[in-house]
Amino acid sequence: MIFEFFADLLGSQILSAIIIAALPLVFIILYVLLANWLERKVSAHMQDRLGPMRVGWHGWLQPIADMIKILQKEDIVAKDADRKLFSAAPVLVFVGCYAAFAAIPFSSAFVGADLELGLLYILAVSSIVVAGILMAGWASNNKYALIGAVRSAAQIISYEIPTVFIILCIIIVSGTLNLTTLSEQQSGTFLNWYILGGDVEGWKKFALIPFMFIGFIVMYISSVAESNRTPFDLPEAESELVAGYHTEYSGMKFAMYLFAEYANMFVVSALVVAMFLGGYQSPFGYVGDLINVPWLIPIEQFFWFTVKGLFFVFVQMWLRWTLPRLRVDQLMALCWKYLIPIAFVNLLIISFLMIL
Amino acid sequence: MKKLVKEDIHPKIIQRLLSSETEISFDDALENEMVLNMGPQHPATHGVLRLVLRLDGETVVACVPELGYLHRGYEKMAENMTYYEFIPHTDRLDYLSPPANNVAFVLACEKLAGLEAPVRANYIRMLVAELTRMGSHLVAIGALAMDVGALTVFLWTLREREKILDLFDIICGARFTTSYTRIGGVAFDVTDEALKLTKNFIDQFEEKIDEIEKLLNSNKIFISRLEGVGVVSAEDAINLGLTGPLLRGSGVEHDLRRATPYLFYNEMDFNVPTYKEGDCLARYFVRCDELRESAKIILQVMDKMPKGEIILNSPKKVLPKKTEIYSKMEELIHDFMIVNYGINPPAGEIYSAVENPKGELGFYIVSKGEGHPWRLKIRSPSFVNLQSLPKLVVGHMLSDVVAIIGSIDPIMGEADK
């Protein structure tokens, strides 16, 4: 939709494609600056501190100041590191997160690529992140980095299984892998959100609610684990592995990991929102409908999507500053002994319900 | 500078370097052990402790602690300075509890010189020692939580410790390196205002420690990270010479404040918390309980503290008051003699130990009747407790190593001396 708009405007499909590809990047940069500031503020207020206060009102310019600082930093590559892989790894990690933004429907008018297999695509491109992290760990030629990378690979691969099970549940109920269609199916009020059974008719809707809720929880836990955030931040566990896979990185390469981490936080939140919480749909209806201004609706939808996404980003920060870190065996136990069986049984029950 | 040649290095060191197994070979496909150097610059080793770990995957096969990165030769330095001059150096031993170290050292000196501090001075010493214990345990709990990943708790405990440091500022005149005690007393008297502030602090402390415990004790991840990790049995604990929370966490009810009462601890009503499990969690619980017991002791100390002198009147051994030095000839002479030649305690040797936050801090002093000690040996709890580390970590995972170090709570200033 937005693609056609720009193609008409500029008369060139290539230019239009470039603009559309750049828009999420602008979003990511603005969002990372906001999330970075938010993380400092959330952590500070949880710890009886004030956080950044000097640069701008309540320190809101602090992330920008930090960006300027980090751009000036020397780019160090260790002598025994594998230069090519070392330089490619942060790019790959960032690309994995950035590519996922292509299929995320920010509003009915703005979705980079309206893929039929959107959910599958996001899962697939997020896996590039694992490759990037493994490359970083190996190329650094550092034992801490290597341990962090191996931990990360094991963790992300394990936690994809419950994620896929829950995605299967959604596919069974909705019958689609397209994220835009998924959001359209949840239009109307919040009663139509898939966490509340979606637009399924009759008693099945009520029977689905508890299982959808379980699915939502499992999905959120495993997606937090996939984005390597506390309590699952073992790959970069600072008290054990110094900084994990990005121990040897500095300057802009380090910033790439930071960007990727925050972008990833939003991707997993966006996925949860799109699947369970109505995607870009407003919970109550639109002001644009009320005052009969149709062009306002996509903007409202963008607002709602961002708000929902940021809320779950906030929950991730909240968890990070409250919970201790799991141990490797406990992390795997949580996945294989609890989440996967629960997700699997959930899948069976939901499929059974939908057959009836 | 002359270049070092092989002959310059002691053959023992060369032998040790050659025989240390740091080679990794990949001849066997199943040979997957890795030697990991942890520290001395590492966020979780509490200073400059260095561990060389042999890992099988993430499991620790062997561990060799390397100490001495903060070695300043305090025991040797003590032989060249008077007893008074050594007091500021005790601040730098266990740098999380300077007043307790000061108290321990002057008690040893007084035992050597056969002095007895006035009652009020001893009460003040108990007050600062217990406040120190609280401060040190708060850091220990916070650092343990931070090592297992709960960063917020660390900030909360440091916030409480900050209040204790502010109290030290008022009581001792310095927040951190207090050098508060003197042989035969303490440097300054405690004002009523300071006692009131201490009381206010204790009154609100219970609530704050509850808050911290609420965040940790009901947290399943925190409990499962510490439960059953680094278990040391009561027998092993005694054989290894562990003291302090480690020993009590293993179920041995041994506290020097009870076992060999010094100051006025025999008049105080307090419990010695013990736990049988001997794991990291038990040590954490011991510290939490001791915080409450210390608060109890401080309240009692403030109730019972009498008025009176804070420093002994013993001109040959105890420094005179500053005002008198400038107005009286005799005091000036004594001050000159004590500062320049020391207090000359009678020849002999003593061992005096107190229960420091980390465990038994002992001073073994040999005097030849001179102004400075002939030999001063520091029995530092962190050093002794650290020797349990290789035993505790074997078989556990890399993540547990930091939890175990956190629960041992070593302070390298004291371990390396």
Side-chain angles (χ1 to χ4, degrees), chain B residues 248-396:
Chain B
R248 294 192 281 277
S250 295
V252 183
E253 196 179 338
H254 178 76
D255 187 324
L256 287 178
R257 292 175 294 174
R258 254 299 140 64
T260 58
Y262 53 97
L263 298 175
F264 292 106
Y265 279 114
N266 49 355
E267 291 174 13
M268 297 293 141
D269 169 35
F270 66 100
N271 300 321
V272 179
T274 52
Y275 285 83
K276 285 201 181 61
E277 293 81 3
D279 53 4
C280 292
L281 192 62
R283 285 164 222 153
Y284 157 73
F285 282 140
V286 167
R287 290 202 175 94
C288 282
D289 289 357
E290 282 189 8
L291 279 176
R292 296 207 165 81
E293 296 302 324
S294 287
K296 229 163 81 184
I297 295 173
I298 290 171
L299 286 180
Q300 293 173 49
V301 166
M302 285 192 294
D303 278 348
K304 293 184 179 171
M305 190 185 285
K307 293 272 174 227
E309 280 296 311
I310 53 147
I311 194 145
L312 196 64
N313 185 14
S314 169
K316 297 269 183 217
K317 307 280 184 205
V318 179
L319 278 174
K321 292 196 180 79
K322 217 51 182 189
T323 47
E324 289 170 359
I325 297 167
Y326 295 129
S327 54
K328 292 176 184 162
M329 194 60 209
E330 195 125 336
E331 267 73 12
L332 180 63
I333 294 167
H334 284 311
D335 185 70
F336 180 81
M337 291 305 282
I338 290 175
V339 168
N340 282 289
Y341 299 105
I343 59 171
N344 299 351
E349 52 185 71
I350 55 107
Y351 176 74
S352 160
V354 301
E355 185 73 24
N356 239 33
K358 310 281 185 301
E360 176 181 339
L361 174 67
F363 287 95
Y364 174 70
I365 307 177
V366 181
S367 166
K368 296 268 181 182
E370 291 163 339
H372 41 81
W374 187 77
R375 172 83 172 96
L376 190 143
K377 161 93 179 91
I378 305 164
R379 190 257 184 231
S380 55
S382 295
F383 179 71
V384 181
N385 288 352
L386 259 181
Q387 68 179 345
S388 66
L389 190 63
K391 242 189 157 81
L392 294 187
V393 297
V394 168
H396 286 298

Side-chain angles (χ1 to χ4, degrees), chain B residues 2-3 30 33 59 73 120 150 155 201 213 307-308 314 322 344 379 384 408:
Chain B
K2 196 177 139 253
K3 212 180 157 201
L30 291 174
E33 287 182 0
T59 314
R120 182 173 173 86
L155 270 291
F201 165 73
E213 284 200 325
K307 293 272 174 227
S314 169
K322 217 51 182 189
N344 299 351
R379 190 257 184 231
V384 181
I408 291 177

Side-chain angles (χ1 to χ4, degrees), chain A residues 243-263:
Chain A
Y245 56 86
H246 55 65
T247 306
E248 294 283 347
Y249 283 88
S250 62
M252 209 47 218
K253 284 182 188 142
F254 175 75
M256 294 281 258
Y257 283 110
L258 197 81
F259 264 76
E261 183 184 331
Y262 280 102

Side-chain angles (χ1 to χ4, degrees), chain A residues 48 143-144 151 239 321 325, chain B residues 35 44 58 147-148 152 159:
Chain A
D48 281 3
K143 286 168 185 172
Y144 290 116
R151 277 184 182 185
S239 60
W321 297 105
R325 185 182 306 118
Chain B
V35 175
E58 288 238 358
D147 285 346
V148 298
T152 298
R159 178 194 64 201

